[in-house]
Amino acid sequence: MNTIAAVDEGDGTVPGAAHGATRASARRTGEPVRFVALGDSLTEGIGDPIADGWRGWAALLARSLAPPHTGVEFTNLARSGALTTDLTAEQLPTALALRPQLAAVVAGGNDTLRSGFDVARTARALDAVLGRLTDGGAQVLTACLPDPGTLLRLPPPLARPLARRMRAVNAVVHALSVRHGSVHLHIADLPWSAERQLLSVDRLHPSAEGHHLIARGFHGLLADAGRPLGPVPVPEPVEPPPGTLADLWWMATRGTRWVVDRSTDLLPGLLALAAVEGSARLRGTTCRQDELMARATTAALTSLPPVTSLGRAAGSEQDGGGRLPSGN
């Protein structure tokens, strides 16, 4: 867990000096904005390195959430490798205890990379997280994610089943964002493959520039919703990007471990998926696989319990509908 404090001194919001404490300011008025981020490595900040670890889009957005002379208390609960079920079991209790006014919930990509993928389980977990946070008074931020197979340039027999799973997860996130009145950003629409500078060296996480673009997208949606905010995050990182040697070093050390940790579960499942996909292609039943996943997704959503909270009644639900531009 990473907690920072920030305050707008009148010329922009800057990070506080201590973790877990709000920096004092004689010019501050009003209560600080409490912002909590839940998720996996994307929200943890992988791909946007700073001196003591990772920064990421959520920390960049946190610096811009405070109107003039108002502080921000930001806690990043996201953890690399987290599944949606990990959010309910590990991250949600802490998030609720912090009583956030804003909460980001961006997850589901790791679910698609597991051999035991179950869209119904993913839907139940995300519905529980969004519902509890919304009932607790938080405005929730959600996002749909790009297809990992396309980002990694996997061969078609591997890429197609992963794309099918990612479409299912994104369909769930879209539906749940409407159900819970979340502010939703279409991260999947960004030109990740066409504009290579938006991706880090591992081709799976955003680069520093990509993280900045995500932060700007959420800031724009919140501004459109009329929320008082600080200055828009800068379009590009002030810091120079890490050089080729730094990228290669990261991949050879931390990046390699990241891949190995996931391959112990992912690789056998991917090979099985590829075998099923190849067999379906030979029989001409690939579309049948798409239909089965679409039906499973619909069944997962229709099986969710009805929404009973007055704060999330049908008339109050809305989809932020934020689609990012193709460039900065």
Side-chain angles (χ1 to χ4, degrees):
M1 181 176 70
N2 182 26
T3 302
I4 67 170
V7 60
D8 189 335
E9 302 287 0
D11 57 355
T13 305
V14 297
H19 290 291
T22 304
R23 192 169 81 175
S25 171
R27 302 181 62 186
R28 173 177 296 172
T29 59
E31 292 297 318
V33 177
R34 295 185 300 277
F35 174 40
V36 175
L38 299 82
D40 52 30
S41 54
L42 171 65
T43 302
E44 183 184 21
I46 287 185
D48 184 19
I50 53 176
D52 58 349
W54 304 108
R55 179 176 51 190
W57 68 265
L60 293 166
L61 177 63
R63 299 178 181 184
S64 298
L65 289 177
H69 316 310
T70 303
V72 177
E73 293 178 351
F74 168 56
T75 303
N76 195 342
L77 301 172
R79 176 180 60 80
S80 181
L83 304 172
T84 51
T85 50
D86 294 325
L87 269 63
T88 59
E90 301 171 8
Q91 299 179 25
L92 180 61
T94 303
L96 291 172
L98 293 169
R99 297 182 297 109
Q101 288 113 344
L102 285 168
V105 179
V106 180
N110 284 320
D111 291 40
T112 69
L113 299 174
R114 295 298 186 271
S115 57
F117 173 73
D118 181 349
V119 68
R121 181 172 60 234
T122 298
R124 289 192 299 270
L126 287 175
D127 184 56
V129 173
L130 298 184
R132 292 288 301 281
L133 288 168
T134 303
D135 286 346
Q139 172 65 72
V140 178
L141 313 180
T142 61
C144 58
L145 303 173
D147 164 36
T150 299
L151 296 182
L152 294 171
R153 295 183 177 178
L154 296 178
L158 297 177
R160 278 193 296 266
L162 286 181
R164 186 179 298 125
R165 290 179 170 192
M166 196 71 252
R167 286 195 299 270
V169 171
N170 283 341
V172 165
V173 173
H174 284 138
L176 294 182
S177 296
V178 174
R179 173 176 164 94
H180 297 288
S182 305
V183 171
H184 182 73
L185 184 65
H186 296 270
I187 293 179
D189 288 352
L190 280 173
W192 298 106
S193 298
E195 299 185 23
R196 180 63 179 83
Q197 75 276 12
L198 296 179
L199 286 174
S200 67
V201 64
D202 66 5
R203 295 197 63 89
L204 193 58
H205 297 93
S207 63
E209 186 173 341
H211 278 285
H212 277 70
L213 187 54
I214 294 171
R216 287 172 63 85
F218 274 120
H219 188 279
L221 290 179
L222 291 169
D224 290 344
R227 188 176 189 90
L229 300 169
V232 180
V234 296
E236 296 180 358
V238 176
E239 308 86 351
T244 302
L245 289 178
D247 279 344
L248 292 175
W249 176 253
W250 182 88
M251 182 54 75
T253 55
R254 299 180 66 177
T256 300
R257 181 176 178 180
W258 189 92
V259 173
V260 169
D261 287 346
R262 281 146 187 80
S263 294
T264 56
D265 175 79
L266 173 60
L267 187 56
L270 273 181
L271 295 178
L273 282 175
V276 172
E277 193 70 24
S279 175
R281 185 173 177 82
L282 288 174
R283 297 195 308 269
T285 59
T286 300
C287 291
R288 173 66 174 168
Q289 301 299 316
D290 295 337
E291 293 172 1
L292 290 175
M293 183 61 76
R295 290 179 184 175
T297 304
T298 300
L301 291 170
T302 55
S303 66
L304 294 175
V307 175
T308 58
S309 169
L310 292 178
R312 293 183 287 118
S316 67
E317 294 172 354
Q318 61 181 354
D319 180 3
R323 295 186 179 271
L324 285 173
S326 60
N328 292 350

